[in-house]
Amino acid sequence: MFAKRIVLHARNHARQMSRLVNDLYRAGIAYEKPSPQPTGCSKDPCSPACSRESLETLMSEHDKEDWDEDQMTEAQQHTMFTWGATNPMSAAAMFMERSEGCYFWTKDGKRYLDFNSMAMCLSQGHTPDQEIVDAVTKQLTTMPYAYPGMFHSQIRARLCKLLSQICPGDINYFSFPSSGSEANEQACRIARLYTGRHKLLSRYRSYHGGTSTSMGLTGDQRRWPAEQGSTGHVHFFDPYPYSFNLGDTEEEVAAKSLDMLREQIDYEGPHNIAAIFLETVTGTNGILKPPNGYLQGIRKICDEHGILMVCDEVMAGFGRTGKLFAFCHADIVPDIVTFAKGVNGAFLPLGGVGLREHIGTHFKNNPVNYGSTYNSHPVAMASAYAALKVMLRNDIIGNAARMESVMQECMNDLLDKHPSLKHARSIGLFGGLDIQKNLKGDFVAKVTDPPPPSMLAFRKTLLENGVWTMARGHTVFTNPPLIINENEIREGFAAIDLALYETDKAMEDN
């Protein structure tokens, strides 16, 4: 009898917890019973209810090259936005009509300088080189698809060969999922299969993707709604936490960070840890370059314990920092590198995983247990193969390295002028500005906060002056296309200069 009461109590507790979790995910919105399922589908083009006349009417609408404003407004009601609630995000969204080089134009004809390469991805700007267009067209017309688990293809062989020739060290084996998130997902599985271990360590100030395991790797608040979907994740502090610091010099910060990590590894059991995942340069959580000695220390820890070092170069890779990969600045080679965005300038969806020799050869005779329909898609790989050749021929990485000094000069000028600007930093053309609300150095907002009025005013002024970028919490991103020139960089910072007067006016010290 007592045991039965215990079971009933446990069940009731489970139901209560389930209701609590569901309420949290509904964010206060009451559950609405769906409308009854329609009987029959009158919208099915194959249905008898759909006459030839109605089909022609449907096609005449969609064959029109241009829709009027009313048609477009109605059509937009069927779209879903990413990450946030669709209605407020849709209301705030701009309508992009066309784009070229480092600029885009909205429907009203206004031109904007894209100072963030959209999602830090359009590294070659908004206009693909004709070589890329021709390569994609040729692939579409000769062999648009080949199932990656059963067929060789010339484009896959060529792309892998080129990557093996330009990637550092013995990173010689490559796979091509459809996105950076999928690349990290595959890297997780590879690490666990190769080591026979389950735990994955990653940092709090991180983002690794929106799929289940990559979201588990993620350290920021985007992880919260997905935590129940993946196991074995352990997060550790960054060299640069939000609310405290670990030292006054880079070397001191690196040493303390590594000491903390070593102790955490001891508690977790190094024999349980498959991999340590790192955004080599932290991306949307602040554009944070690792302190001197930090990456070398991580490499050493991994080697001591047989833990794989995985560098997430989805944002930083292929020239963003002025080198092919950000880890090249530290003169180390990770066991696995993940990439996307810059590998083909984001002209088509494509991610990638690069493996060192010892891991790649292991999976020559052992199943990798990962795949998808669009893995190694020939058309996407054709865009990457051509884009990499354009990057190399046109010295796009060299341009990013040369423009770093121009960006840093502009940042230093802003630091001298604006009391609301706390920090400004860049590595290559990977940059960020931190906004403070008082001279004590308190940030204007946490990453988890909605933008305060001063940041909304900053954004409004920036757009009025023809520059678009992204901001998150207290950080404003300065990540233009890698093809940008000096005049365009100065144009962007001139607009930021005007917008910073809004955050200056809002400071608590005024």
Side-chain angles (χ1 to χ4, degrees), residues 1 18 23 33 156 166 174 194 215 221-223 237 246 266 286 304 307 318 364 377-378 383 394:
M1 191 67 179
S18 177
D23 287 343
K33 187 177 180 180
R156 179 156 63 164
I166 65 175
F174 303 92
Y194 181 79
M215 185 61 88
Q221 80 280 4
R222 284 172 283 190
R223 178 188 84 247
F237 276 107
L246 296 173
D266 286 342
E304 288 172 1
I307 298 169
F318 297 97
K364 290 284 188 179
H377 195 287
S383 72
N394 296 347

Side-chain angles (χ1 to χ4, degrees), residues 115-151:
F115 224 48
N116 199 57
S117 309
M118 291 284 108
M120 295 96 155
C121 59
L122 285 172
S123 56
Q124 297 193 23
H126 289 257
T127 309
D129 188 279
Q130 189 60 43
E131 183 176 350
I132 301 172
V133 176
D134 291 344
V136 167
T137 303
K138 180 181 178 182
Q139 194 65 52
L140 274 170
T141 55
T142 56
M143 191 194 73
Y145 181 79
Y147 182 54
M150 294 186 176
F151 293 91

Side-chain angles (χ1 to χ4, degrees), residues 34 36 50 68 163:
C50 186
D68 61 36
L163 286 168

Side-chain angles (χ1 to χ4, degrees), residues 6 25 31 47 87 99 151 156-157 201 252 261 282 297 330 342 348 371 415 446 453 461 481 494:
I6 291 292
Y25 281 102
Y31 174 73
S47 165
N87 282 348
S99 57
F151 293 91
R156 179 156 63 164
L201 268 61
E252 185 180 358
L261 177 59
T282 300
L348 286 171
L415 283 167
K446 295 180 180 179
T461 302

Side-chain angles (χ1 to χ4, degrees), residues 191-200 270-275 305-308:
R192 284 171 165 167
L193 288 170
Y194 181 79
T195 63
R197 306 170 183 178
H198 187 63
K199 290 184 180 179
L200 302 167
H271 59 286
N272 295 319
I273 299 170
H305 298 294
I307 298 169
L308 300 186

